[in-house]
Amino acid sequence: MLTPEFQILSVASWLVVVTFLQLSLFPSLKKCLGQYAFPASFAASLLIFTLLTWYCGLVQIPIQIALVPFILLFGYHIYHRNYAWNELRKEWKWELIFLIFFFLMLTVRFVNPTISYAEKFMDHGFLASIMRSPIVLPLDPWFAGGSMDVYYYLGYWIFGCLGIISGVPSNIAFNLSLPTVLGIAAVMVYAIGSMLLERFRWLPLLLFFLPNPSLIYQIILGNPLSTALWNSSRTITNTINEYPLFSFTWGDLHAHVISIFNQVFFIFLLIYLYKYWESLEARSKWLICGLAALSLGSMPLINTWDVLIFAPITIIIAALIIFRGWKKGLDYSSWVQLVLIPPLSVLIYLPFYIVLKTSTGGIGIVKIPSDPIQFLLVNGWFISIFLLFLIKDIRERPYLLIIVVPFILTGYFAAAIAAIPLIYFIAKKERSVPDILAIFGLLILILVELFYLKDNMGDTYFRMNTVFKCYVPAWIILSISAFSMIGIWFAKPGRIPVLPAKKSAALAVLVIGVLFVIPFFVPLNLNYGGWTLDGLSYLDTTHPGDAGGVAYLRNLTGDERIVEAVGGDYTYYSRISSFTGIPAILGEPFHEFMWRGDTTGWYSARPADIRSIYENPDQTISLMKKYNATLLYVGDLESQTYNVSLPATGLEQVYSGQGTTIYRIAG
């Protein structure tokens, strides 16, 4: 296990890099974003840094070169005295929010840090592969000779490059990444709350703490918390319906979680454009639309599903702004920047699309929609809140309820439930920003009830990924909308009095203190151990042979490929490639099948060749050379899986310890 001192230095180094990037950009955004420049610079600087490092990787130059523009920008602002202390002091609340949420999530990871179950093998494998060899295309650690041209990998690239720059190894960077995602997302959500609310600006932050009704129901049934938490994310039959509280607590550094900071940043930019477009100068419009294009353009590479949701929303928001300007008599020159957001978003990462090999099976119609009770156990809070605020509208125009009839007659009862508040929000004569957000969120829920994207998940789980990837942005949008409506209602005269500043501060300290204590009393480590930020420390006690072998391999540099045992997904198989980032002949087979298909027959050929490497000494060397494998790993799992029989010549032992032996092809 890495020493506590090294872990503390890793956290400090990581935060220094993140803060340096943010401060370098902050003054450049002040003219166009005003009071929101400081929070926006957290996400914007990270996305710009990512873009620069990605192109460094594309042309295969050191990614450290991406720091040069930030260094120059920082020097420029120092020279022009743009870091006046009196002005920086005014931004303390944004920095405080980032640090509170960063360290809150860091506490959760400290208690449960292990890279040990669910998608964590994949997440760390991608992260470690990028940190070993930060090139574009990144190497696929589970398919020797293959690259990540079949999957969206930019989220891992972001934090892999932060790890490289800050000198933090992947097994700690893994546990610093989600705290960074949550910290930046929280800052942006608070910025949105500040734009939409005069008081109770913190209310939208509850989206990160809100459980779905199913979790409450599971606890009432008497299930243990860990079981209740898991079941609450699998409420709708044969689907995954994650929400932020579950996702961050569960701790997978997966694409749908990484993307949350970018989703919230993009929502912030769209709301800002919608509220202030006519008052912005041309230069500010270009800059903000450029940031929107960067954010939208990053979505296909971070979590492709997001762009399917936010690209149409972008077009609708742009259309609303243009229509509003048209009614005011403004000419086309006042909205040309909006029209350029979608094409610019594609151009920014155009090389990604040129080499992309993945595809979907098209759009299908959902024939087995969600059970309405299960639907409400996931989305019931939002539906209830919206209906409460729409009671007057429903009483005045009950005839609009006819909208649910087609859904009921065709058996789409869950869609009918969501359609009720939707039609009343649409029918409003004057719609606020929370109303518009509610429309978007409800539309997502309805569309997911009617359509799905086809993939290789089979007939039973045909819509699992569609619900999985669409429900997270829907939750974010619906939460911001619902909590903003509640905040507006609370702020009305006579509802909730304004607390004195000292009492407000004391209450905030108390709540934050309780939040930091909770992770230490909630049994979420699944008996893997914790109290460290080293995600691989558990190997020292559970798999000591692998602990030594992995430590040896993680110190190797250069172009290596390894042979290890292959077995089922979501098991301890694929652990060496996952822990080191060194490509194996084959890692988790079903994941690779989902991404690549099996047009060449590799799905059966590679496992058979791996077995022959271990069991047929006459074929060991030739089959290793077939895949350009340089290393052969023999640990407890390999000995249990195969009748290991290796050739007397052609391999040289380079490591041995506690039942693990590693060989290299001689010469």
Side-chain angles (χ1 to χ4, degrees), residues 34-51:
Q35 63 178 313
Y36 302 110
F38 197 89
S41 59
F42 278 98
S45 63
L46 191 56
L47 290 175
I48 294 171
F49 169 76
T50 302
L51 179 69

Side-chain angles (χ1 to χ4, degrees), residues 22-145:
Q22 183 257 337
L23 287 177
S24 298
L25 184 65
F26 156 58
S28 301
L29 302 182
K30 288 174 67 175
K31 287 186 178 179
C32 62
L33 288 172
Q35 63 178 313
Y36 302 110
F38 197 89
S41 59
F42 278 98
S45 63
L46 191 56
L47 290 175
I48 294 171
F49 169 76
T50 302
L51 179 69
L52 295 174
T53 56
W54 190 83
Y55 273 97
C56 287
L58 184 65
V59 298
Q60 298 194 17
I61 60 176
I63 62 126
Q64 289 84 350
I65 293 175
L67 282 178
V68 173
F70 289 95
I71 294 171
L72 294 175
L73 197 58
F74 190 73
Y76 172 85
H77 290 308
I78 288 178
Y79 179 78
H80 287 277
R81 300 181 180 179
N82 292 330
Y83 294 115
W85 176 244
N86 288 337
E87 292 187 13
L88 287 175
R89 281 171 51 190
K90 298 176 183 177
E91 313 294 348
W92 67 268
K93 64 180 179 181
W94 304 110
E95 188 68 31
L96 183 62
I97 291 168
F98 171 77
L99 291 175
I100 287 172
F101 279 83
F102 177 89
F103 281 105
L104 179 60
M105 188 65 218
L106 193 68
T107 303
V108 174
R109 298 309 306 143
F110 179 74
V111 173
N112 180 26
T114 56
I115 302 163
S116 51
Y117 56 89
E119 298 288 359
K120 294 177 179 61
F121 272 25
M122 171 190 157
D123 300 330
H124 183 268
F126 279 21
L127 183 72
S129 173
I130 288 168
M131 292 185 69
R132 281 194 89 254
S133 182
I135 59 171
V136 176
L137 294 160
L139 302 178
D140 186 341
W142 286 347
F143 201 86

Side-chain angles (χ1 to χ4, degrees), residues 556 560 630-632 650-654 662-666:
L556 297 181
E560 304 279 8
T630 57
L631 300 164
L632 176 65
L651 293 174
E652 57 182 8
Q653 181 179 303
V654 293
I662 302 174
Y663 301 90
R664 179 182 293 278
I665 288 186

Side-chain angles (χ1 to χ4, degrees), residues 278-567:
E278 285 80 10
S279 63
L280 294 174
E281 297 178 353
R283 181 185 174 189
S284 296
K285 290 179 179 179
W286 280 111
L287 184 54
I288 299 174
C289 287
L291 291 176
L294 174 60
S295 178
L296 184 65
S298 300
M299 287 181 183
L301 288 79
I302 298 176
N303 185 41
T304 302
W305 295 80
D306 295 345
V307 78
L308 303 179
I309 292 171
F310 287 102
I313 289 176
T314 304
I315 294 171
I316 294 171
I317 291 294
L320 291 174
I321 295 173
I322 292 170
F323 180 70
R324 189 172 66 196
W326 175 75
K327 289 201 302 183
K328 294 179 179 179
L330 302 178
D331 59 31
Y332 77 94
S333 63
S334 66
W335 46 260
V336 64
Q337 298 92 336
L338 290 169
V339 177
L340 290 176
I341 291 176
L344 282 176
S345 70
V346 175
L347 288 173
I348 286 170
Y349 281 107
L350 185 60
F352 171 81
Y353 303 102
I354 294 174
V355 300
L356 187 65
K357 294 181 180 178
T358 190
S359 62
T360 64
I363 298 176
I365 297 176
V366 174
K367 296 180 181 178
I368 307 176
S370 304
D371 176 88
I373 301 299
Q374 294 176 352
F375 177 81
L376 286 173
L377 282 172
V378 177
N379 303 294
W381 301 137
F382 309 120
I383 302 297
S384 300
I385 291 169
F386 293 153
L387 291 178
L388 283 173
F389 282 107
L390 290 168
I391 287 176
K392 181 180 178 182
D393 301 80
I394 295 172
R395 287 174 177 170
E396 291 177 353
R397 291 185 284 182
Y399 55 85
L400 290 178
L401 292 173
I402 197 171
I403 188 69
V404 306
V405 174
F407 294 111
I408 293 174
L409 292 178
T410 52
Y412 293 94
F413 297 103
I417 293 171
I420 296 173
L422 174 65
I423 191 61
Y424 283 96
F425 280 125
I426 293 175
K428 278 190 171 185
K429 292 182 179 179
E430 297 291 334
R431 285 178 291 274
S432 65
V433 171
D435 294 338
I436 295 172
L437 291 174
I439 291 172
F440 289 142
L442 292 167
L443 276 173
I444 294 170
L445 298 184
I446 292 173
L447 290 173
V448 169
E449 287 301 309
L450 304 178
F451 306 103
Y452 70 98
L453 285 184
K454 298 178 181 178
D455 52 29
N456 295 329
M457 291 301 296
D459 295 334
T460 301
Y461 301 100
F462 68 98
R463 64 190 290 247
M464 185 188 78
N465 269 329
T466 301
V467 173
F468 179 19
K469 296 302 174 65
C470 292
Y471 262 41
V472 172
W475 183 280
I476 293 170
I477 293 170
L478 291 169
S479 293
I480 293 172
S481 171
F483 286 122
S484 296
M485 292 179 187
I486 293 172
I488 293 170
W489 189 85
F490 279 169
K492 290 183 178 179
R495 296 274 163 78
I496 296 181
V498 178
L499 287 176
K502 289 185 178 180
K503 289 186 177 181
S504 296
L507 183 60
V509 170
L510 176 63
V511 171
I512 293 168
V514 171
L515 289 174
F516 272 95
V517 169
I518 288 175
F520 292 99
F521 292 93
V522 178
L524 295 174
N525 62 22
L526 302 182
N527 298 318
Y528 280 96
W531 303 83
T532 177
L533 293 177
D534 181 356
L536 299 179
S537 65
Y538 74 104
L539 296 179
D540 294 339
T541 54
T542 60
H543 303 280
D546 286 341
V550 166
Y552 169 80
L553 292 170
R554 284 173 60 84
N555 286 322
L556 297 181
T557 59
D559 184 14
E560 304 279 8
R561 297 183 189 181
I562 198 164
V563 186
E564 66 172 318
V566 64

Side-chain angles (χ1 to χ4, degrees), residues 648-662:
T649 60
L651 293 174
E652 57 182 8
Q653 181 179 303
V654 293
Y655 174 85
S656 180
Q658 301 201 46
T660 293
T661 307
I662 302 174

